Every structure is written in structure tokens, then in C-alpha cells.
Amino acid sequence: MTERKHAEAALQASERQFHTLADSIPQLVWMADAMGKIYWFNSHWHDYTGTSVNDTSSHDWQATLAPVSLEEARYRWTQALEAGTSLELELSLLGKDGQYRPFLTRVIPLRDPTAVIYGWIGTHIDISERKRNEQAVRDARDTAETALQNLRETQNSLIEMEKLAALGRLVAGVAHEINNPVGTSLTVATALERKTTMIATEMAQGTLRRSSLSEFLEISRQASSQLVANLNHAAELIQSFKQVATDRNQSNQRTFDLGDLTEQIALSLRPGLGKKNLTLKVECQPNLTMISYPGPYGQVLTNLFLNSATHAFADNKEGSIEIKVLAAGKDSVEIIFSDDGCGMSVDVRRKAFDPFFTTRRDQGSTGLGLHIVHSIVTNYLGGRLHLDSEAGEGTKVRLVLPRVAPASS
């Protein structure tokens, strides 16, 4: 009996120590017998739920669960009791203020030295702050993703606008160039019409002289020659621009000769020289067959040309732009675009392909021209490019493109 009393006293002392320890921690704690019937809650449980310290039998911990958690908790708790295994799940518990808060709930079995379960201990850790932080992180991430998506859409929109602007500048240059031969042809045709009317009048009146007829025939021959030359030049410009514009509006691969296409693009670019003291030289190796995208390739050359014309030659400085096209091994071609303009500093060269970077923003530049070049060459044409430029030494852009471009995804 003495040993039994000592054992009971020791057990009671151990329980008191445990209860004291459980009351000193911030978690909600309860204890249950082997069948799961709760016989003790710590003080924090009573503080949170607003129940009396003596009230341990009139309710179960599941009574404080949110309705959405109740069914799952009962099912899991029943499984744990039957299997004698631990239980862990997130639940919402009702506080004395009428609010549900999230808790991480853990229930573990207590075993004697023979591994027989003699009770259970449950803990509930308030994870409200963690949940708020997680939600704040999710909200911040969603906001950032939305902002990034808006930025990408804006950037894509600006890139498309810049492509159209480049094509618009090309149209304006071609239209201006076409005006010259068409205007000349109109002047010649008007003079020829007037001379023809005079000859017809003299013939009707019977006053036509042989010398006048000879003079009219010579004038007609010269006028016809000028008309044919000027109209052929206008037709070449229109055909070149038509091909370039058609290619720009199509994204399908097609087979073409790179030299011929480059010459056509150059023909449509020459009017862009306008009143600038610039020359454009094109040198193409023949028989360079490509299966690629002519429209994007034309966009690349157009942007490189406009970039040089705008940035490399300040104050109407005289200079030259050169395009060389040649084979680079069996499966690739090389396009070298160079100018002898002002060149770039190290800092400008480093950021040349960055979107929205420009040294001429005050003159309306968007900083997307070379970025579009880089994107088309690397992402669309499957090639690579290298920029070589020094301040005062001109600029050279070397493109290496596969003869068969990767299929567009």
C-alpha cells in the first residue's frame, strides 16, 4: 500500500508539473483518456474559448470547430483512435469573441512501457499570423504578376507600334521617291500633249513643214524615252515596296534568294536617305537560297537602317551605310550591316539592345528599334548577332542566320 501511495503521489506530482508546463506555453492543450474522452484543458484553452476552468466534461474540442472543418476532423479523429496513430491537420476554432481562427492541430497517443495507449494529448497552435503573411505574399505575388503581365502587354503593344512606325517611315520615303519619276513623267507627258496638239493644228491647216515634223518626232522620241525610264523606275519602287509590304504582313516560311530579297529591301530603303548626305551600298553573294521568314528579315534591315540614319550621322553629316550578304558555312548565312558614323560609347553599346533605351528620346525615339532587331533575330529567325562599335569609329552589326529557320511556334 505504501508503494502504491508513493506511486500515486508521484503520478499526481508528475501531472501537476505537466499541467504547470502546459499552462505556461502559448498553445491550447488538452488531454484525453485511451478512448478519447477529454478530462483536462489548459488555461489558454479556457481563455480562448471563454469556458470555465471546471468545465471539461460538457463539451469536446470538436465543439469549437468551424462547420466546414467538423466532418473531416471527426473522421480523422476516429481513424486515429482506431489505428492508434498521430493526427495533424489545420482547423478553425471558435473563440470567445465569436471569431474563427486557423490552428495547426496535433494529437498524439501516450503509451506505457508496454506500448499500450493509455491516453492522448492534443495541441492547437494559432497560425493566424502565418496565414495572414501567406495571404499577403499571395496578394503581392498576384499584384506583381498582374503588373508584369500589363507591362508585357504594353511592351508588346509599343513594339507593334514601333514596327508600324518603321513601315510608315518606309512608306513615306517610297512615296516621296515615287513622286519624282511620276512628277517628271507628268511634266513630259503634258509638254508632249501640247506639242502634239500644235502639230495636229498645223497639219489641219496645211501649214505643217517638214522641219516642224522632224522636230516633233525627235521631241516625241526623247519624251517617250524619258517616260519609259521614269515609269520603269516608279514601277520598280512600287514592286519592291509591294513585295516588302507583302512579306511584312505574312509570317509563313517561304523559299527565297537572300541576295535578291536584300536588293529589293535596299531599293525600298534608299528613299529613306532623303536629303541626308548618305550612300547605301549593297553587296550580295549570289545563289544563297533560304527557307525562312522574309518579312521579319526585312524588318531587321529596316530597323538597322533607320537606326543608323537617325543616330549615326548627326547634323546631316556625310557618310555611308553598307550591307554585305555572304555564306557562312554550309547551313548558315552572314549579314554584315555597317556604317561609318559616330559609333557608340561603351555604356551605350552595352545597353543598345535593351528595350526603351535611346539617346534620342527628345527627338521622338522610343528605344525599341534595336530591341526588335535582337528579338527577331534570336527568337524568330533562330540566329545570333554581334554588335561592334567604338566612339568615332562607326558601327558594325554581324548577323548569322540559319538557311532553314526554325518553325514558328
Side-chain angles (χ1 to χ4, degrees):
M1 292 293 292
T2 302
E3 291 181 359
R4 180 179 177 182
K5 289 181 179 180
H6 283 308
E8 290 177 352
L11 178 59
Q12 291 175 359
S14 177
E15 287 184 351
R16 284 195 300 270
Q17 290 177 354
F18 174 78
H19 293 169
T20 301
L21 176 63
D23 284 335
S24 67
I25 63 177
Q27 287 80 23
L28 313 185
V29 183
W30 51 262
M31 295 186 70
D33 60 19
M35 301 303 294
K37 182 180 179 181
I38 296 177
Y39 60 84
W40 179 81
F41 291 101
N42 74 342
S43 60
H44 290 294
W45 175 276
H46 294 294
D47 290 340
Y48 178 75
T49 60
T51 57
S52 170
V53 174
N54 298 321
D55 184 9
T56 59
S57 59
S58 63
H59 70 281
D60 186 81
W61 65 275
Q62 299 173 58
T64 63
L65 294 180
V68 293
S69 306
L70 186 57
E71 184 176 350
E72 180 186 4
R74 286 176 175 172
Y75 175 73
R76 295 280 300 277
W77 180 221
T78 301
Q79 282 189 320
L81 288 172
E82 292 175 352
T85 56
S86 300
L87 168 67
E88 180 175 318
L89 69 167
E90 290 185 9
L91 300 171
S92 295
L93 301 181
L94 179 65
K96 61 184 178 182
D97 58 358
Q99 300 295 319
Y100 285 98
R101 293 179 180 81
F103 284 80
L104 177 61
T105 298
R106 292 191 179 98
V107 184
I108 61 174
L110 302 175
R111 300 178 186 272
D112 63 19
T114 62
V116 175
I117 296 176
Y118 67 86
W120 297 82
I121 182 169
T123 61
H124 305 273
I125 302 174
D126 190 343
I127 55 175
S128 301
E129 185 65 26
R130 191 188 81 182
K131 288 294 185 181
R132 284 193 292 270
N133 292 338
E134 289 176 353
Q135 185 61 45
V137 170
R138 285 193 294 269
D139 292 343
R141 182 192 61 201
D142 293 343
T143 301
E145 289 178 352
T146 301
L148 179 60
Q149 181 63 28
N150 291 337
L151 178 61
R152 286 173 176 168
E153 291 176 357
T154 301
Q155 180 171 325
N156 290 335
S157 176
L158 289 172
I159 287 175
E160 290 304 315
M161 291 173 60
E162 178 65 18
K163 289 180 179 179
L164 293 175
L167 186 60
R169 291 193 290 271
L170 185 62
V171 170
V174 171
H176 175 77
E177 189 71 9
I178 290 176
N179 277 337
N180 292 332
V182 171
T184 301
S185 298
L186 181 60
T187 300
V188 172
T190 301
L192 182 60
E193 180 186 33
R194 186 166 55 252
K195 189 65 176 177
T196 301
T197 301
M198 293 173 58
I199 291 296
T201 301
E202 291 180 5
M203 181 177 291
Q205 295 175 350
T207 59
L208 179 62
R209 300 190 303 273
R210 184 181 181 86
S211 59
S212 297
L213 180 60
S214 297
E215 180 185 4
F216 171 72
L217 292 175
E218 178 60 22
I219 291 175
S220 298
R221 185 188 66 79
Q222 293 178 0
S224 298
S225 178
Q226 292 183 35
L227 287 172
V228 169
N230 281 282
L231 293 177
N232 278 337
H233 180 50
E236 288 175 359
L237 288 171
I238 292 172
Q239 179 60 32
S240 174
F241 176 71
K242 180 181 178 181
Q243 182 62 59
V244 171
T246 300
D247 285 336
R248 292 285 177 84
N249 292 327
Q250 294 180 352
S251 57
N252 297 329
Q253 284 183 323
R254 72 174 176 88
T255 302
F256 57 89
D257 183 277
L258 183 61
D260 290 345
L261 177 62
T262 303
E263 292 284 358
Q264 287 183 350
I265 296 170
L267 186 61
S268 66
L269 292 176
R270 292 184 191 280
L273 297 173
K275 297 180 179 180
K276 295 180 178 292
N277 296 319
L278 301 177
T279 59
L280 175 60
K281 179 181 179 182
V282 180
E283 182 180 332
C284 299
Q285 180 177 327
N287 303 320
L288 293 179
T289 303
M290 298 273 289
I291 303 177
S292 189
Y293 303 92
Y297 172 72
Q299 182 75 58
V300 167
L301 288 189
T302 299
N303 281 28
L304 289 174
F305 173 82
L306 294 175
N307 188 76
S308 286
T310 302
H311 299 280
F313 304 97
D315 302 325
N316 207 28
K317 179 184 176 182
E318 183 177 356
S320 62
I321 299 173
E322 186 173 2
I323 303 174
K324 289 185 178 181
V325 176
L326 61 155
K330 181 181 178 181
D331 301 321
S332 300
V333 295
E334 183 178 49
I335 301 97
I336 300 175
F337 186 98
S338 59
D339 65 58
D340 57 2
C342 63
M344 304 179 188
S345 66
V346 174
D347 185 58
V348 171
R349 185 176 70 243
R350 186 183 301 114
K351 296 183 288 186
F353 296 114
D354 291 351
F356 308 112
F357 172 75
T358 179
T359 58
R360 296 289 181 89
R361 195 172 304 279
D362 58 331
Q363 298 182 19
S365 295
T366 63
L368 287 171
L370 290 184
H371 174 67
I372 292 172
V373 168
H374 186 275
S375 297
I376 291 176
V377 170
T378 57
N379 299 332
Y380 208 86
L381 301 179
R384 61 185 188 275
L385 71 168
H386 175 73
L387 173 64
D388 183 20
S389 182
E390 298 289 341
E393 300 294 332
T395 298
K396 178 185 293 185
V397 181
R398 178 175 177 267
L399 313 177
V400 178
L401 306 178
R403 291 201 179 200
V404 180
S408 177
S409 58

